[in-house]
Every structure is written in structure tokens, then in C-alpha cells.
Amino acid sequence: MTTGNPPARPGADLPDHPSFLWRNPDPAPSYDVVIVGGGGHGLATAYYLATVHGITNVAVLEKGWLAGGNMARNTTIIRSNYLWDESSGIYEHALKLWEGLEEELGYPILFDQRGVLNLAHSLQDVRDSVRRVNANRLNGIDAEWLDADGVKEVCPIINVSSDVRYPVLGATYQPRAGIAKHDYVAWGFASAADRLGVDLIQHCEVTGIETSGGRVTGVNTTRGRIGAGKVALCASGHSSELAAMAGIELPVQSHPLQALVSELLEPVHPTVVMSNAVHVYVSQAHKGELVMGAGIDSYNGYGQRGSFHIIERQMSAALELFPIFSRAHLLRTWAGIVDVSPDASPIIGLTPVDGLYLNCGWGTGGFKATPGVGDCFAHTIANDKPHPYNEPFTLERFTTGALVDEHGAAAVAH
Amino acid sequence: MTADFRLPRGGRIDRDRPLRFTFNGRSLTGRQGDTLASALLANGVHQVTTSIKYGRPRGIMAAGVEEPNALVQLAEPVSEPMLTATTVELCDGLVAEGLVGHGRLGDEPDPARYDSKHAHCDVLVIGAGPAGLAAALTAARSGARVVVVDDQSAAGGSLLGRDDYLDDRSSDAWVRDVVAELDATPDVLRLDRTTAFGAYQDGFVLALQRRTDHLGFDAPRHVARHRIWRIRATQTVIATGAHERPIVFDDNDRPGIMLAGAARTYLHRYGVQVGKRVGVFTTNDSAYVAAIELAEAGIDVPVLFDARQDVPQRLRAECAARGIDVYPGHVVTGTEGRDHLTDVHIGPVGGERCDTVGCDTLLVSGGWNPAVHLFSQLGGQLRYAPSLGAYVPAEALSSARVVGSAAGSFELMACIEQGAEAGRAALTAAGFSPGADVTVPVADTRPDEVAAMVLWRVPEGAPKVPLGTEYVPKVPFGTAGDDNSADARFVDLQRDATVSDVLRATGAGLRSLEHVKRYTTIGTAHDQGKTSGMVAAGIVAEALGEDLAERRPTTFRPPYTSVPFAALGGRDRGELYDPVRVTALHDWHVAHGAEFEDVGQWKRARHYPRYDEDMHAAVLRECRAAREGVALMDASTLGKIDVQGPDAPALLDMLYTNMMSTLKVGRIRYGVMCGIDGMVIDDGTVIRLADDRFLLTTTTGNAAMVLDWIEEWLQTEWPHLRVFATSVTEHWVTVPLVGPRSRDVLAALAPDIDVSNDAFGFMTWQDTTVAGIPARVCRISFSGELAYEINVNAWHGLALWEALIEAGEPYGITPYGTETMHVLRAEKGYPIVGQDTDGTVTPQDLGMSWAVSKKKTDFIGKRSFSRPENLRPDRKHLVGLLPADPTVPLPEGGQIIEHDYVPEPPVRALGHVTSSYDSAALGRTFAFALLRSGRERVGEKLYVPVGDDLVAVTVTDTVFYDKEGARRDG
Amino acid sequence: MTADIATRRSPLDGWTSRLAELAPAVRLAERPFVSQLTLRLPDSSRAAAVSTVLGVELPSAPCTFAKGTGPHGPVEVCWLGPDEYLVLAQPGLQRTLESALRAAIGDAHGAVVDVSAQRTTLTLSGPNARDLLAHGCAVDLHPSVSPTGTCVQTLLAQAGIILLVREAEFVVLVRASFATYLAAWLLDAGTEYREQPT
Amino acid sequence: MQLIPCPWCGPREEVEFHYGGQAHVAYPAEPAELSDEEWASFVFFRDNPRGPFAERWSHAAGCRRWFNAVRDTRSYELLAVYRPDQERPVTT
Ligand SMILES: Cc1cc2nc3c(=O)[nH]c(=O)nc-3n(C[C@H](O)[C@H](O)[C@H](O)COP(=O)(O)OP(=O)(O)OC[C@H]3O[C@@H](n4cnc5c(N)ncnc54)[C@H](O)[C@@H]3O)c2cc1C
Ligand SMILES: NC(=O)c1ccc[n+]([C@@H]2O[C@H](COP(=O)([O-])OP(=O)(O)OC[C@H]3O[C@@H](n4cnc5c(N)ncnc54)[C@H](O)[C@@H]3O)[C@@H](O)[C@H]2O)c1
Ligand SMILES: Cc1cc2nc3c(=O)[nH]c(=O)nc-3n(C[C@H](O)[C@H](O)[C@H](O)COP(=O)(O)O)c2cc1C
Ligand SMILES: [Zn+2]
């Protein structure tokens, strides 16, 4: 072994963070807009309020450390190849923003368009996949259907043998999809928002929402009352609790969703692979760790932890698809709290309370929407009117029945 | 360095069993009982690898799982992408290499077996050091079921790395006795090489047992290499010991710099001297013992620097007697050396002067961090103990207690005493009465004299360059010019993260340790910060001027140490990945060349190709047989539910959209089920067997769901209904006999019934015998042809099938699979739930308003039909499509648009193709689609983009074949 | 009217010798064609009549089975739920027992279903039988926890099973469609216990 | 993996159970009488508290009985299990 040579390993070196990220201000007595929840969505919303709409008297209130919720925990898959027009609209809007985000924020967010494969293992999977590809193409989304050989070409380590329990029959492929570095995305939005004058206030839990005459007037927090012209909820897994503070019931349920990583490995996995039937999804992050997830735990839970049998099952699935992973090691497991809606689509828009805006229900798949929802939600707040992209995602749809049912049709929703 | 560093005697290794191994291409020899690390050190190899970011040489810091540096990759006897040299047991023929941050996955298949096993116990003891052994023995003597796991190759814990005497015997003898008694006690399971890696609620602990790795090439192939133990314990005793903490100073990462306790372990356990000239730097008394013992072994230990002004006088005297100069109030300010330490710079705390001492090894001890990982995973609260500079358990949990050095108690006799006490408490809590006490032996260990000092890093200001000596520029390491590389005060060696990185993070506005972790990546590497986490926390708190008592460490997450994916996958691999469900006729299908499709967990015959037929040809042939002669299929996978009781009709009226209570005994009705949201969830036939008894069929994939659905409503909403539902899916083999000649075949085999249309009408059933087998025959048709569905006890399924084949021979009877079934039903306009529906489709959308009762006041889903969205005139309807070119098949999943060109995106499609086939009967292709306002569009010409082409289609109704239904009666 | 016994096939027909390969550590065998009836009887007024037909009292404790010999020979009655039992009897008795039970229930609230072919039966005994099950069954089968007479419905590997603890053997009832999966799983789990490991 | 105490079979592994969401949500007596809002509330809206939650479970791989449980959704600890015909017990 030679010594002293600087290693030239892909991903060994992560880009440096700026030497200043954000101030740590005390809360002011009031703000034009108070955003509850300092995850990716809250931070992006603050950023777009400030840049696009010039609204800078804004606070983001975060009960813990900034972006320490699902933003710190997600498997970072970004894609826009959703089935329904409504969904592909907002996710594709997000994907377009991702494509320019690094430059816009001046932050190395490591957005990497390495493509996503959604595998099909049964004839019905194939039908559903082809359907989604065709729908996507009409919507201008770069979707392709690949047969097993095509899958192998994109990701040579996938076992496409027909001699396995659930052979890979093909996959949908979106080349423009990919991953980004979650923390860097959050910090990019945070520091940009901070520079624009937004107050990022941590360890400040909202404990009540104050209304008067059907209009929101402020919030109570563990750091005192804060007046607000408008209040925007971006609390992800805690949305039900917050909405209840304003007397609003939500059709979402909070579940644990787990993920895990391996040790750092030399590059083996060039893309992102998701499989519904053989339930696992995998990518290799920039540092080199394999990042994996599976389904949610069945029960409601706010514990940021789940059951290990899900992980064992996910491992069997991963090994079925990637025999080469056999000797890799599980290094760390964790969980987030995801707010799952009945149709697996988000709820974004106005509420029965004037000046109170809602963004929730992203379940297992809201990271990819971060810039898109930030932009649309900021628009909704600034204009008191939904952006066309989030217009279909109202709370009322559960009453009318106009669901955007991504359960019925799409593969895993991450 | 080639010198032999194996001491002439000592160590718990087998000196008579040399093991040859290769490291970084060099052939070396170790001894049975070595780890790769001890064998390397015995050969004088300190440098294992270089670091991930700066390429700095790195050696061996520790002797156990906490090792931050010595990452290796194994090529032989098994390829392993990343392990630490300190945890690899040496075996003959081992081939390893140091690795630089990233492991490499071998691409050869892994032939090893991995399995898992459940174990239940009253008391689980994690860690078989003195504390754990005392706990286990105490519990075992009460008759409780005990499991003891320890991750090392032998019991004894830290005793293996010491030479303590207990009651005038070596500690080995004490351990041997305890182990012998444990092993002789019934219902005690003691597992070596077994790491408890996750602790969960309700006494659930997961442990990884490495069962054959130490056997090297002799590992028997049939023995599972690794086993996951799923342990369920009433009470758990956590006796996991403590990890020694380094101190941060300039150039603290050079090979030759090692934790003091590790050096003791190399000495006593492996008979290895870690260096020829050893300096010591400490903040507590424990490193004195290391210094003394090394000196006693004949190693030159000239100096010991103690950051404390107040040093232990007795220990100092012992040092003096062995020629070790103790420097109170001195710290290490820097080191020299390229691939190995050569010199240590030292100076008084805050002082001006600095000296240099030549050393090839520097032992460091900054105190001890109790291994509270598992306790914290259980949700146990931690408290900062300022005297230790570490977090310790702050509370007792009702079913888990922490003892020994894991609880912050570092004195041997106290550890044993605590262990025994915890064992007693645990067995009592588990409902047992204590047996004979475990006597606490008297240990000859040197007591601590002076409180430890908590020092995260050597304070700034101490000069780095020795005064009075000639300035020797340091050998430049790594990427010169990089800001960070200027700082060589490493906090997390594996991540190459330094004090500057930490301070940069706090300077950037970060206050939370969680943020600092993510900004610097400290604690995220293979060692998960076992040596760096506490130090980082200390430095952050110092930088922010905050009290560690007010802060919490980052979250301890499973696994405690890394666990192979393969071990977690276990035996749920290959064919056993998911159960393969088969029918009683499966072997016949296999023997007759069927191609199968997966439907849920079932294997269903998809078609039966003859000679070199492709599927298309086979299906055309099978379809023709069904339409022109006679054919049969295996429909046994259909779900079957027996529903009995006086309220069965009332229940079915709620479950199905249509009326079932009016069905007459002897008759059959098709029914549709919806969810409460009004969307179709399943369909099937309902047979009325008696006034109070029905048999329901469900689709293959939904059988379990429908039974659960029924039970859920029955038990939770309508417990007053007197009904029972029982699955009989596998009790029956179900064979549809289809085609104009089916009546002839049945007549030949069922002499007891009149098979004429008048006597045995459509949608009726009869019990009889077919081929001598008691059978229930139903006149149901999913193909539009004359057809009988024959049900027999599954034991007789094959006999029935073979009899039908034989009797049908004159008519060219043909077995057909699911593909043909799909074509036949589609020709007749019958949708398949799950293929032509997707969870957003109502019965009305399917054109099945006829199956939705207008009379019933309620049934599941009814209320949802009148929601605004369901009343929209432009809902999607199931329709037929005929491609303009009858030879062109439409792709299932194709989208439908209005224009004969594809407009600029986004294009709102009108719907999509759900099913598409080539029909032998029609002599053309045809399809089903869900189409916006579909029924109003019948006759319209629309387009389906296929690749770059557009296929023109005409919208039709859904029935393509025998619209009058003339064929079903034969 | 009875079908020809010679043409009957059990789900593990053809597995006999493979199953025997685990002996002597584990003696594993299929016991096919056991008569099995699901009995639902929330109404305890007919319990006595039913017991008379079976020659066994219905087990009252959850997760147990009762055994005895009655007019139809040796019978085991398994507790499956608060009002649900599975009756196990010698092969060939399912129809007779079905009518007899029906008659005993009369017009009381209850149900009887012939489920003889729904599940097949495996027996396991020998020194490592409990070990073998512990590889895939989370229920504690230690005699202090699961004594003779225990009957649990649980999972063995990924198959739902009914497990009976008899005097000197375990009985596993598994749905017919899962039988080959479970047999393959057991044989694989038994690899280490074989005399001649494969 | 949790142990869930089935009221009949006793404690069993979580994998034997099927989760059924909020308990004590009765099917409306007369759905036809409900407004769209009321009906939507029955179909889609369930409590989602952080803390004790009365919910339904079915011992799917065991006795197949549904029962109710009060579980703390923060710690996942089961504070009580009870049969469907029993009242929700008082938990602390
Ligand atoms: C394991 C896992 C994997 C995932 N994988 C993917 C993926 O691959 N791709 C993808 O697109 N999505 C994924 N997701 C989903 C994605 O993480 C979320 O949808 C998304 O992060 C939610 O938006 P957010 O970032 O704003 O949420 P969060 O980061 O959770 O932000 C919400 C914030 O609100 C704060 N908060 C809550 N209550 C209060 C209160 N009362 N007062 C103040 N603050 C409060 C929380 O502390 C939290 O920081 C995954 C999620 C998980 C858990
Ligand atoms: N300051 C000091 O001098 C000092 C400091 C620490 C320890 N000690 C000495 O160390 C001994 C402590 O005894 P003890 O019994 O508490 O600890 P121990 O270190 O002797 O034993 C702990 C054992 O648990 C094992 N272990 C740890 N985590 C495990 C896991 N997750 N799964 C399986 N095994 C695991 C370890 O490998 C070790 O064998 C005493 O002799 C004490 O004097 C002294
Ligand atoms: C994409 C991604 C990659 C990660 N990579 C690592 C890693 O290499 N090493 C590590 O220890 N943790 C890694 N983590 C996990 C974090 O350490 C941590 O577990 C996660 O942010 C949740 O926080 P918590 O465990 O503190 O609750 C990763 C997390 C994510 C989302
Ligand atoms: Zn039960």
C-alpha cells in the first residue's frame, strides 16, 4: 500500500458547506407570514415567498433542529413519472426547478440525474407500467418502458434471470430522475431564505393557532406568542395535530417509514431502482453508502422508529434483486413520520380558516416535490389562491370524491 | 518494520498453531487466537490503510468494535467489503487488504447459508464480561431460562485483556468456572461471537452470531455462516462494558497512536507488544496500569504524561519503580512520523515550553464511554456524568437494567457485585426465587486514586514546535493546500473530520449536535462514532459555551455494529423468498409443459405451448378449442368462502351491490363488491346451497382480502348477524369445462344427472358424481360458451382432471391457461377486476348498473355513488376498441387521445387501454378501454399513440362475440 | 358414491422420502387425508350434544386442544377462536361427522364445514424437532410454556399454520397450497440437523 | 417487533396482526341521510393523535378475532386491549 497519496475515490470528498449558514434570531413579536415546520417544504416555501413574491417578513418555526424531520431521513428519490395528470403536473414542475436549483441557490445540492427504474414483476405490473409511461409521455415527461434486457443495460447488477421467485419483466425508466443530497437541499434553501431576511427559529414548537373572526391572527409557541398575518402549515407527519389546533380535521394518518444505509462502497449501483412487488428501493448515495427503503409500518406512530421485520423483509427483497449486495453490511437504520392521505396524494391549499394554509399528506414521497411545492405553496399564500399546479389537491376532494388516486395505479410512491 | 513483536510468553493464543495470512500482498504469520489486528501488530505492521479524504497513513487504534481506523477488506476465505482488523479472527490462508474508506463488493455469488432462530428466555444477559457473567450465573442458579450473548470469541469480556487475579486465581480460572457452570445448567443458552445489535420493545433483542468465519477454509458449507437470533426476554441485563476515549491533539492519527486499554489487550490476550518504545498520555488512572503492565512485560515505557496536576501517587511510585517518568500537568501537543510514529511533542498545560520524546508508540486514554447504545435504543434516558465525561443511564427501565462499566462503574469487584445484583433483580422480576448466591471474588486490581479529568482536546496555545530544538518541517500529508488538511487534530478519524471542521460548523451558525454531525459527517462512518461521538459533543459544547448536561448525544440507532445484508435476508431467498402457492393439479401442468404466471403468490398455468408454439399461437389454438370443441382449465385458485347462518342473506345483501337474498336455492348469481368509497373491489359468483348457506367465489388475488373484509364487518359492525364465513379455497379443485362439446364430456362422466339445458339450466348447480367422484357442478360461463364448473374435494382433483381429459379425447379436449381465459372473457365483454379496474372505477363505470340494486336501502359503497364526482357525466367508462387495422394489437396501457396527431404536451388523455388481444373467433384484434364519457363515444374514431405511431381505433360497446348470448346453452 | 381411495392425492404426495431425510434428528412426515371440520358454536347450549357426538369436551381454554375417543374413534378438537373449533378425526369420516355434528347443533346457532382438504398435516418429532420449528416459529414451544395439549395458530416461516403439541410430537396443519413451500422450507431449515448434510 | 396481547391468545408477535385504524367509528345507521361532508368524514377522516389512541387490530394469523387496543402512538406501548363488545378502559 502506498502512503500519502490523495485518494481519488468518487464521492469520497463531499463539497464544503459555506462557512456561514444562518442566523439564530429570537422570534419577533409578529410576522406577515409564519411558516410552521422547518423541513424542506417550509424552507422552500419561505424562500419562494421571499424571492418570487417579495414577502420577507417571514418566520419559519421549527420545533426541533432545522430540517431534522423527514427531510433528514428520506431516501432522496426525485422523479416526476406519476400516473395522473394532476400529479405529474406538480412533480414535473418540481423536477424542472430541481434542474436549475443548484445554481439558483448557489449551493451544491448534488442533484444527480442518474435515472430511476420502477420494476415490473407481474403481468399487471407491466400493464400499469406501460400505462404510466404512455401517460407520462403525453405530459412531456421523459418516461420509457424497458424490457428486462434494457433494465440490465441501465443497471447491470440487477438480477434479471427468469429463474427467480418474481422475475423482472421490465421497468419504467425516467432518465431525468435521480437523487440529491437531502441536508444540502434544506440548508441551501435555509441559507438563501436567511439571506433574504427570513427568520429561521429553531426549538420553537407551535402549541396553538390563534384565530379571531374566522381569521388566523397568530400562533402560540414554546417561545411565546407570535403574531401572524398568515400561517402556513408544513409540518409533514405532525400535520393532524397542528390542523386540529385550528379546529380542522385532516384525512391523514401518521405512520413510521424506515430507511437504512450500508457502509461506504465503491460505486456499484449507477441509478435508482424501485420495486413494488419485491418491496424495496435502492440507490447509492454520493458518499458511497447504499440507501434503501421499503414500505411504511402498518400502524400509526410518532416514534420515529419502526419494526425490524420490515427491514429484514426489505433485505431479502434487495438480495433477490441484487445478489451482489450479499456481503454488504447494514450500518444504520432509522425512521421518519409520514402523513399518508387516502389517495396517496398531497393536500395543498386554502383551509376553512382565513389566512391559514395547508400543505400535507405527502406521505412517503414529498422530498422530490420540495422546490415545486415551495413555489406553488408560496404562490397560494401570497395570492390567497391556489397555484394551478396545486389546484387539484384540495381538502374538499375527499368530500366530492375527486381523488387523485396514486394508490390504485402507480408503483411505490416515493 | 519486520521485527517480531510477539512477546516470548503470555497471551491467550495457541502458540503451537501458526496461521499464514497475506496482508496488502505480504505473507505473514500469526497464531491461533489472533485477530487480524493482533497478528499485524505481532509482525510490526501498524499501518493498515490511508485515510479517506487526506490519504494519511492510518493504523490500529483499538482492539475491538470501536476501532475507527483499521478498515480492511477480505479476499479470502470469503470476500468481505469492509470489516475492521480488530474484529476479524485470524484463520489460515486469510487474505486481506487495508481499504481506503470504500469497500468493494465481490461479484461472485455468495454460496454461504444464513439463517435465523427464535430464542425465548426469562433473563437475557448481553455481554459476558465480569458483570454479565455474574448476572447470568445468578439468574441461571434460580432455574430461570437464561441466554447470554457476547460478541467476542470467548467469554470474559475485558478480563481477556488483563491479567487480574480473582481470589488468588487467574481471572481465566474464574471465567472458566462460571462458563462451565452456565454450560452445565439446563435452559441456559450461551452464545459466543454473538453481537446484540438491536434492542426493541417488549424484550426483543436481535443478535448476530458469526458461526463459521473463524474456521476459515474449514467452515462446513452446510452450517449457516451467520445466524440472526431473535431473542424474546422477560428481563434484560445489559453488561456491554465501555469504550475508551481518545484525546484530540495535533497529528493524533498516526499509526502507532493507540488507546491504552487496547495496548493492554494486545499484551495480555495476544502476547503482543505494540511498540518498542512506548509513551503514554492520559487523563485518568487506568492508563497507568497499562504503562506498568507493559513495562513489566519488558517493553520500554519511558514516559507518561498526565494532563492532571494531581496525579495518583501510588501508581506514580509503581511507575517510577519501572523506570516510567510521570509528568503531571503535561499534554501531548503534536506528533511526528510518516507511516509510523517517531516522536511525540509534549508540554505543560498552557505552558510555553515544549519537548520532544522519541516514541514509536503512544498510548492515549481520555476516559471511558459506557456502551449505552442498547439501553438508549430501548428508550432509556441518558444523563451526562461530568466526572466521566460521558453519558450514562439515567433511569432504570422496568425490564432492562445496565450494569458494570456500561453503567459507568469501572471497578472490577463492583462490576461483579452489580452483575450479581442485577441478575437477582432480573430473575425476581421474571418470577423466580434466587438460588445460591454468586460470591464476589476479591480482585487484585489497582484501585483508582485520583478522579479523572475530562479533556476533549489539548488546549490551543501549547506550542506545536519543540522549543530549543531545530525546526523540522512536518512531512506534508494528503492534499496540500486544502484548508482542512492544515488541521490535523482529528475528531473522527474515519471521516477525516477535524476540530476545524467542528468549529467551522458552529461558526456557520449550527447549534445542534445533529447539525454538526451532518455538516462534518462525524459519527456516520463504519464505527458510528464509538470513539469520536463523545469527543465531538464535548468540543461543540465547549465552542458554544454550553453545558453537556443540557444536551443529548446524537441518536443511537440499530445496529450496534454492522450486520451483513445476507444475514438479514436469511433463508427467505430464491424459491423461499415468498411462498409459492400451487393447486392440487400443479404437477400435471408442469408435466405438460405449461408456462406459468405469478398471480399474487400463486403459480397459474398461463398457456400450454405445444412443440415450438409461441404464446400467441398456443392461445389462438386454446381459444379455438374452447369455442369449437371442448377445453378445460384449472380455476382452483379462485377464492371460495362458505357462508352459513340464518342472517347470511342479510350479510350478502350488504356486501354485494346486487340483491343476493332473493337468490333461490340451487341457483347462482354473479355479484360485485365495492369498498365504502363505491369503487369496485372484487367480483365473483354466489351459489345458494340452502336457505341459510351460500358459497362465494372471489378473484384469485383477493381471496384473503374478501374473507378478511367479511370478518371485519361481521365482527366489528354487525356482531348481531348470525353468520359464519369459512375459507374453503383449497378444499376444492375447480375445473371449468368449456365449449360446445362440454355437455357430451360431462354426460359421459356424470351418469346420475340429466345434463340437458332444461334439466340443468344456466346459473344453476347440482351435486352429483363425476368420474365416480362426489362433485358439485355449476353451470357458469366466463367464456360465453356452454360450460360447467366442476368442483371436487382437492384430493380427487387430479383424478377428475385426468378423467375429463380422457373422456374429452374424442372431442380434442384442450387444457387452456389464464391467457386464453382472458381472451374468451374479453370477447364476451366481461371485465377483470384489477386489470380493467384500478381502484377508481364504479360498477356504473363498468356498465354494470344492472348489478347495482335499486331496491336495497343500503349496501357497502352505495352512499358513495351519489358523491358529486360519481355523478359527473364525463366519468370514464369501460368500452371496447377496434383498431382500424385488424391485425394491429393495441398495447395494454396505451393512452387514448382525440387527435390524429400528438399535440404539444401536456396532453390530457381520454383514457387508456386496459386489456387487448388478438381474437381467433373475431379474426382480429380488439381491446377494452376506460374512456372518458366512453359510452357516449361509441362509434367515434380516436387514436392511441404507440411508439412514434398513432393507431386509429373505433369505440364500440364491450361485447364482441355472440352478442345475443346464443352460445351459452350449447 | 365414495371416490376411489387409490386415486386420492395429498398435497405432499411424492415428498415422503424427502421428508424422511431429516431423521433421526427430526422425524418429519405427512399424515394425509385427516378428516377435518370447522365447527362454529357460539351457543353453548349444544356443547354437550356436540361433545357426545365427538366423545370429547370442547376445549374451553384458548390455544389448547382436547382429545378423546368417541363413537367415531379418536378425535382431537382444537380451539381456533372463541366460538371456533377444528375437529380432527381419522380419514374418511368427514361426511359422517359433518351430518352428526349438524344434527347435534340442530337449530341452534352454529355451523359445520368440511375442510378436510383445505389443510394437510405434518408431524415432527425427534431430538431437534423443537429446534427446527424455532427457525421459523416465534411461539415459545418450551414445555413450560407450551405443554402437551397446546394448539396455536401462528406463522411458520411465511405460512399460516395450526400447531398442536402432542405427547411426543408436534403437529403442523398447513393450507394445501402452502404445503410444498413449507415442506421445502422445513427441509432447508433442517440442513444442519441432517446426518449427511447436502 | 412488538408483542401484542390478543385478548384470547395472549401476547404474540406483531407480524401475526393486522392493523385496522381508529376504533369506535360506527358505520352510519342511515348513510343515505348523510350530507356529502358527513359521509366523507366517515369514509376518509380518522383521528391521528400523538399519544393514546383507541384502535382496532385483528389477530390475522391467529384466532382471526378483531379487538380494540389503546396504544400510545409515541412509545407504541399498548396501554390496554379489550374485546369489541367491551368499553374503552380508562388508561393513564
Ligand atoms: C424514510 C423515508 C424515506 C423517504 N423517501 C423519500 C424519497 O425517496 N423521495 C421523496 O420524494 N420523498 C421521500 N420521503 C418523504 C419526504 O421525506 C417527505 O414527504 C418530506 O420530507 C415532507 O416535507 P418536509 O421536508 O417539509 O417534512 P419535514 O422535514 O418532516 O418537516 C416538517 C417539520 O415540521 C416540524 N414540526 C412539526 N410540528 C411542529 C410544531 N408543532 N411546531 C413547529 N414545528 C413543527 C417538524 O419538526 C419537522 O421538522 C421519505 C420519507 C421518509 C421518512
Ligand atoms: N477505568 C478503568 O480502569 C476501566 C474502564 C472500563 C472498564 N474497566 C474494567 O472492565 C471491566 C468491566 O466489566 P464489564 O463486565 O462491565 O464489561 P466488559 O467490558 O468486561 O464486558 C463487556 C462484554 O460485552 C461485550 N459486548 C459489548 N456490547 C455487546 C453487544 N452489543 N453484544 C454482545 N456483546 C457485547 C464485549 O465485547 C465484552 O466482552 C471491569 O473489569 C472493569 O474494571 C476498567
Ligand atoms: C440519504 C441518507 C444517507 C445517509 N447516510 C448515512 C451514512 O452514511 N452514515 C450514517 O451513519 N448515517 C447516514 N444517514 C442516516 C443519518 O445518520 C440519520 O440516521 C438520519 O438522518 C435520521 O436521524 P436520526 O437517526 O438521528 O434520527 C443517512 C441518511 C440519509 C437520509
Ligand atoms: Zn388471537
Side-chain angles (χ1 to χ4, degrees), chain A residues 32 34 70 113 127 138 144 168 204 271 286 292 307 318 350 410:
Chain A
D32 292 344
V34 162
N70 292 328
Q113 294 182 290
R127 289 180 199 107
L138 289 176
E144 295 169 34
V168 174
C204 178
T271 179
H286 306 85
M292 282 191 209
S307 278
L350 314 187

Side-chain angles (χ1 to χ4, degrees), chain B residues 65 125-133 149-152 154-160 162 164 191 193-198 206-207 210 238-244 264 269 284-287 289 365 367-369 371 373-374 403-407 409-413 415-416 418 445-446 448 560-561:
Chain B
V65 296
V125 180
I126 304 171
L133 286 175
V149 300
D150 190 283
D151 63 353
Q152 306 208 44
S158 53
L159 296 178
L160 297 168
R162 318 231 164 158
D164 302 322
L191 300 168
R193 300 187 174 89
T194 304
T195 311
F197 65 82
L206 287 163
R210 292 164 297 275
I238 300 174
T240 45
H243 298 139
E244 200 165 11
R264 256 176 110 185
R269 185 162 180 187
N284 64 85
D285 290 4
S286 69
V289 184
S365 180
W368 295 79
N369 300 329
H373 305 66
L374 298 172
V403 290
S405 47
S409 164
F410 298 139
E411 204 274 310
L412 176 53
M413 279 157 67
C415 286
I416 298 177
Q418 273 182 24
T445 51
R446 298 173 175 87
D448 280 358
Y560 168 67
T561 53

Side-chain angles (χ1 to χ4, degrees), chain A residues 37 39-41 62-63 70-71 74-75 77 206 364-368:
Chain A
H41 290 199
E62 168 54 51
K63 71 174 176 140
N70 292 328
M71 196 62 179
N74 73 82
T75 49
I77 299 172
V206 171
T364 60
F367 172 71
K368 64 180 67 65

Side-chain angles (χ1 to χ4, degrees), chain B residues 416-437:
Chain B
I416 298 177
E417 175 64 52
Q418 273 182 24
E421 211 172 284
R424 227 165 6 247
L427 70 88
T428 313
F432 291 79
S433 332
D437 275 345

Side-chain angles (χ1 to χ4, degrees), chain C residues 40 62-63 80 82-84 138 152-154, chain D residues 8-9 12-13 15-16 61-65:
Chain C
R40 304 296 297 262
C63 303
L80 295 192
D83 61 16
E84 183 172 358
V152 290
Q153 294 164 89
T154 183
Chain D
W8 289 279
C9 307
R12 294 289 186 87
E13 302 273 322
V15 287
E16 293 191 5
C63 65
R64 301 197 303 129
R65 293 314 109 166

Side-chain angles (χ1 to χ4, degrees), chain A residues 181-205:
Chain A
K181 180 85 186 155
H182 55 294
D183 291 330
Y184 296 18
V185 173
W187 299 356
F189 275 118
S191 60
D194 175 87
R195 278 196 304 274
L196 292 162
V198 172
D199 281 357
L200 308 177
I201 301 167
Q202 304 183 63
H203 302 287
C204 178
E205 178 169 355

Side-chain angles (χ1 to χ4, degrees), chain A residues 36-42 61-64 68-71 73-77 204-206 234-236 238 242 257-259 281 336-338 362-368 414:
Chain A
V36 186
H41 290 199
L61 309 185
E62 168 54 51
K63 71 174 176 140
N70 292 328
M71 196 62 179
R73 285 149 214 284
N74 73 82
T75 49
T76 77
I77 299 172
C204 178
E205 178 169 355
V206 171
C234 288
S236 188
H238 297 273
L242 276 156
L257 176 65
Q258 303 183 71
Y281 49 95
I337 310 163
V338 297
W362 291 91
T364 60
F367 172 71
K368 64 180 67 65
H414 309 288

Side-chain angles (χ1 to χ4, degrees), chain C residues 17-39:
Chain C
S17 58
R18 288 180 63 195
L19 298 181
E21 282 168 16
L22 295 185
V26 182
R27 286 183 297 278
L28 172 63
E30 187 189 17
R31 307 271 173 239
F33 310 125
V34 171
S35 299
Q36 301 177 46
L37 295 119
T38 294
L39 168 67

